[in-house]
Structure formats: structure tokens, C-alpha cells
Amino acid sequence: QVQLVESGGGLVQAGGSLRLSCAASGRTASSYAMGWFRQAPGKERELVAAISWSGAYTYYADSVKGRFTISRDNAKNTVYLQMNSLKPEDTAVYYCAAARRGTPRREREYDYWGQGTQVTVSS
């Protein structure tokens, strides 16, 4: 069992930055691939970024490439999402998720989810 708790969301002006954190609990949390998803009002949840358990492999959605960076510190069982050059269209609830196998891109392949943190970017 893995429990995930996100933090770091908030209100920021366009062009600003935020860093989201996802703290994972559980003995084997560091062996899971991790993903950051987001869901904007009226839209489906989408994968923003993912990272393998070792950190050697990362994936980014085209909409955030060059602006967002996913990283992890396995000693702290924490995954981060550094978000720079934020745009109003980045406004959403951001969720972290853990996957036991691979570094999946599909939502249904993630096994554990956090409660989400709101990110609001004003224009």
C-alpha cells in the first residue's frame, strides 16, 4: 500500500513558477514509477509528466515540454514537479500517482493516487 500526499499548489501569475511535491509513504514507495496528472474543469484528466523508479527515464506531455521538470528523491520518498513559465491554461487540479509496473502513460495503469492540489494561473 502506498499513500500519496501532494503539496505546493496555489495561485500564481502567468509567467511565474511553482514547485509541487508528492510525498509517498510505504516501504516500497521508492520502487514505483510516478506520474503527475492534471484535470481542468470540464476536461479529462491528462498525464503531464512521468518518471521511472530510478529517475533514469522521464516523459513529458508536449504542452509542458521545456517548462516543467519532474524529479524524485528516493531517499525522501518524494517526487517533484517544477513548473516554470506558467500559463493560464495550466490551471487545473494536479494529482500525483504511483505505478507498480513500468512508467505508464495511461491513467488506468497507475495504482495509487493522491488527493490533488489546485494550481491556478492568472492572466
Side-chain angles (χ1 to χ4, degrees):
Q1 188 79 5
V2 175
Q3 292 184 327
L4 304 172
V5 179
E6 302 98 333
S7 61
L11 174 64
V12 64
Q13 288 189 330
S17 298
L18 282 174
R19 188 176 82 156
L20 305 183
S21 299
C22 174
S25 62
R27 281 175 46 188
T28 59
S30 62
S31 65
Y32 286 65
M34 300 295 292
W36 282 101
F37 289 77
R38 68 185 180 187
Q39 187 168 24
K43 295 188 177 182
E44 292 186 353
R45 190 155 55 183
E46 62 173 349
L47 178 64
V48 173
I51 188 167
S52 61
W53 72 270
S54 68
Y57 172 77
T58 57
Y59 163 83
Y60 296 96
D62 287 344
S63 58
V64 305
K65 277 182 184 176
R67 300 189 298 122
F68 290 12
T69 302
I70 189 170
S71 61
R72 66 189 299 159
D73 184 339
N74 285 343
K76 297 182 179 180
N77 279 351
T78 302
V79 178
Y80 305 97
L81 185 68
Q82 178 67 45
M83 306 186 294
N84 298 329
S85 303
L86 283 161
K87 305 175 181 181
E89 51 263 44
D90 295 317
T91 295
V93 177
Y94 284 71
Y95 300 88
C96 72
R100 283 183 291 232
R101 297 182 179 181
T103 310
R105 299 184 185 182
R106 291 179 290 192
E107 183 177 338
R108 66 173 183 263
E109 294 183 74
Y110 283 81
D111 303 288
Y112 302 101
W113 292 83
Q115 82 288 351
T117 186
Q118 177 71 46
V119 171
T120 303
V121 184
S122 63
S123 57

